[in-house]
Amino acid sequence: MLHVATCLWDANDASNEFSRCYDESWVERLYRGFARNLTRPFRFVCFTDRLREFSPQILQQPLTARPIAYGSFTEPYRLNEPMILVGLDTIIVRNIDHLADYCLSADKIALPRDFKHPDRSINGVALVPKGWRRIYDEWSGENDMEWLRNYPWRPLNDEFPAQVVSYKMDVRWRADVLPAEARIVYFHGKPKAQDLGHIGWVRDNWH
């Protein structure tokens, strides 16, 4: 079955200032965004540092490697199942059934291109087919984005043009008008969705 996965941990010494805002409410909003825009059956799993109180539909898995840092986003690969892996600062804005179908049928992980170096990947959103547990098994605590660059991938930008977009690079410069094809908007650094309540598409989809 398709899994949707994310991670939550209490901010620590390795956390940058821009990622100290996360709590359980971000997980709940993310789950609801997927529930509204995905009709394929899925399990929603939050990998977390401690047991938390979530809605019953949100499953929990422990983050086991220490110290917990951004590289901990490698741990969901231990599921070894078809998976959409996203950060908490992600907004689902339209139906994504076809992105789920990619995870259920493809052979390579799909990742966005790096904006400055388009021949390499970044991992704002990962569409992961079944059978990639070795990414976790072979990991020794490296930064997750750097680690993923050791494995074959397909550019999301080519597979699904303009559908998985960065707010900072693809949206903000358009006076915050969402591209018509966009399905998933991911954030990195500042601003975050909580800073953008004045923008209609954020208000309509991040709740």
Side-chain angles (χ1 to χ4, degrees):
M1 175 180 283
L2 177 72
H3 286 65
V4 175
T6 192
C7 298
L8 172 66
W9 62 85
D10 292 332
N12 56 38
D13 291 342
S15 302
N16 290 321
E17 187 276 332
F18 57 74
S19 62
R20 293 178 170 271
C21 55
Y22 303 129
D23 59 19
E24 289 85 351
S25 69
W26 288 73
V27 180
E28 298 279 356
R29 289 172 186 261
L30 184 64
Y31 165 74
R32 291 193 291 267
F34 276 96
R36 288 192 298 269
N37 292 287
L38 182 55
T39 69
R40 304 292 186 261
F42 71 95
R43 294 189 179 104
F44 188 97
V45 185
C46 181
F47 285 74
T48 184
D49 54 346
R50 57 184 172 83
L51 189 64
R52 297 176 183 265
E53 292 188 10
F54 290 130
S55 299
Q57 302 91 336
I58 298 173
L59 307 177
Q60 299 184 55
Q61 289 276 353
L63 289 168
T64 59
R66 296 294 185 272
I68 295 176
Y70 295 112
S72 298
F73 262 87
T74 308
E75 291 210 34
Y77 286 88
R78 73 182 194 233
L79 291 172
N80 206 37
E81 295 288 343
M83 172 177 69
I84 301 175
L85 176 60
V86 298
L88 293 172
D89 49 354
T90 304
I91 301 180
I92 315 301
V93 298
R94 294 187 181 92
N95 180 272
I96 56 167
D97 284 353
H98 59 300
L99 304 183
D101 291 342
Y102 177 93
C103 301
L104 294 167
S105 61
D107 57 351
K108 289 184 181 178
I109 298 167
L111 300 164
R113 291 185 184 274
D114 187 304
F115 307 106
K116 295 182 179 179
H117 306 282
D119 59 328
R120 69 182 189 183
S121 65
I122 58 175
N123 64 338
V125 173
L127 304 184
V128 184
K130 183 178 181 178
W132 283 97
R133 183 189 164 96
R134 67 189 180 98
I135 291 177
Y136 168 73
D137 290 336
E138 296 167 2
W139 173 66
S140 299
E142 294 86 351
N143 174 276
D144 56 321
M145 185 162 63
E146 296 290 342
W147 183 244
L148 272 178
R149 290 172 179 160
N150 294 310
Y151 298 89
W153 65 293
R154 288 195 178 111
L156 263 172
N157 315 63
D158 300 345
E159 293 287 330
F160 306 103
Q163 295 189 34
V164 179
V165 297
S166 155
Y167 175 77
K168 185 180 292 186
M169 302 302 295
D170 300 313
V171 180
R172 192 176 188 182
W173 65 274
R174 301 176 183 228
D176 296 314
V177 176
L178 196 62
E181 302 88 352
R183 305 300 178 101
I184 299 179
V185 183
Y186 63 94
F187 292 73
H188 38 104
K190 286 188 172 182
K192 300 290 189 194
Q194 65 179 8
D195 306 314
L196 303 173
H198 60 287
I199 298 173
W201 68 263
V202 175
R203 190 170 55 250
D204 292 344
N205 293 283
W206 193 64
H207 58 81

